[in-house]
């Protein structure tokens, strides 16, 4: 899917590429601003989403089994509510971008983020609301690894709110998730689809 211009919308699509090892195979290639990419499943492409633009919204997508899940440069883009997993080169690759807001996503890749001269905001102020792991508070992201050693899988719980890690997650210079979600469940990947069984802090299935 190739988009140029403003105010484009890609919604409720299943996009399967032909080669996750080829950077020329792109699930959604957006060269524009003020677009909305929501509720899509994107797999088996060199880039699941390749973005060059500003003020775009990428929300509630499942982006799995690509080379790079999302790769972009731009200003003031928002990435929220996505499952970004099993992308072999990186879940998210940012280059020369600024002011982006990236929160309430699940990252589950061997390398979750690559940053080149970019500065993003990786959390919002703690706010009541259902997060992507089934908890009751919104803040940052869930940082997982397929081998179970991701930051959110191994961090200590915050004493006052065990839905979050007790310490920020430092992604790199000028890039910090100050409210990383704490993950206390198992994750299963079947045929490229991430199936999550979410547990609360007491080890019981979440409602």
């Amino acid at each position: 899917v190739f988009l140029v211009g403003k105010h484009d919308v890609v919604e409720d699509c299943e996009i399967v590429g032909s080669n996750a090892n080829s950077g020329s195979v792109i699930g959604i290639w957006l060269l524009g601003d003020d677009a909305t990419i929501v509720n899509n499943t994107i797999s088996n492409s060199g880039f699941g989403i390749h973005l060059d633009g500003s003020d775009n919204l990428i929300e509630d997508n499942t982006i799995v089994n690509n080379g790079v899940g999302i790769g972009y440069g731009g200003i003031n883009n928002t990435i929220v509510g996505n499952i970004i997993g099993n992308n072999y080169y990186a879940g998210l690759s940012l280059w020369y971008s600024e002011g982006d807001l990236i929160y309430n996503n699940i990252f589950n890749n061997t390398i979750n983020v690559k940053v080149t001269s970019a500065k993003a905001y990786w959390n919002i102020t703690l706010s009541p609301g259902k997060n992507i792991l089934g908890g009751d508070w919104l803040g940052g992201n869930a940082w997982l690894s397929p081998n179970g050693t991701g930051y959110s899988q191994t961090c200590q719980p915050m004493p006052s709110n065990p839905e979050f890690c007790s310490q920020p997650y430092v992604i790199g210079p000028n890039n910090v998730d100050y409210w990383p979600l704490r993950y206390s469940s198992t994750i299963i990947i079947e045929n490229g689809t991430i199936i999550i069984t979410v547990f609360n802090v007491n080890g019981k299935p979440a409602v």
Side-chain angles (χ1 to χ4, degrees):
V1 179
F2 182 54
L3 305 170
V4 179
K6 287 191 173 185
H7 307 295
D8 292 307
V9 177
V10 182
E11 185 174 6
D12 298 330
C13 295
E14 182 174 359
I15 300 170
V16 181
S18 60
N19 187 354
N21 294 308
S22 174
S24 63
V25 177
I26 299 172
I28 297 175
W29 190 353
L30 173 61
L31 299 175
D33 305 323
D34 300 300
T36 299
I37 300 173
V38 61
N39 200 38
N40 302 286
T41 300
I42 307 166
S43 63
N44 201 40
S45 298
F47 286 86
I49 298 174
H50 190 294
L51 170 64
D52 288 296
S54 301
D55 300 304
N56 298 291
L57 173 64
I58 300 174
E59 183 175 16
D60 294 342
N61 301 282
T62 299
I63 305 167
V64 294
N65 296 332
N66 303 284
V68 175
I70 303 173
Y72 74 89
I75 299 174
N76 298 333
N77 297 291
T78 299
I79 299 175
V80 56
N82 302 282
I83 296 173
I84 305 170
N86 206 31
N87 300 286
Y88 77 89
Y89 181 73
L92 180 65
S93 182
L94 307 180
W95 53 82
Y96 305 102
S97 62
E98 186 176 356
D100 301 303
L101 178 60
I102 304 167
Y103 75 101
N104 200 40
N105 302 284
I106 292 175
F107 292 95
N108 185 38
N109 311 270
T110 302
I111 299 173
N112 280 321
V113 179
K114 287 182 175 287
V115 177
T116 302
S117 298
K119 180 180 180 180
Y121 302 100
W122 299 87
N123 58 270
I124 60 172
T125 302
L126 286 188
S127 305
K130 188 66 68 176
N131 67 50
I132 199 165
L133 295 182
D136 296 323
W137 288 84
L138 295 167
N141 301 278
W143 300 100
L144 314 182
S145 174
N147 64 10
T149 61
Y151 187 78
S152 293
Q153 294 160 300
T154 58
C155 69
Q156 294 299 311
M158 182 191 305
S160 60
N161 189 338
E163 290 184 17
F164 296 94
C165 298
S166 61
Q167 297 294 323
Y169 176 53
V170 179
I171 299 154
N174 300 314
N175 290 278
V176 179
D177 186 341
Y178 288 98
W179 299 111
L181 297 172
R182 179 173 170 262
Y183 190 81
S184 56
S185 68
T186 58
I187 188 162
I188 303 170
I189 300 177
E190 293 182 357
N191 298 322
T193 300
I194 296 179
I195 301 171
I196 302 169
T197 303
V198 179
F199 293 87
N200 64 23
V201 294
N202 298 316
K204 299 178 181 179
V207 177

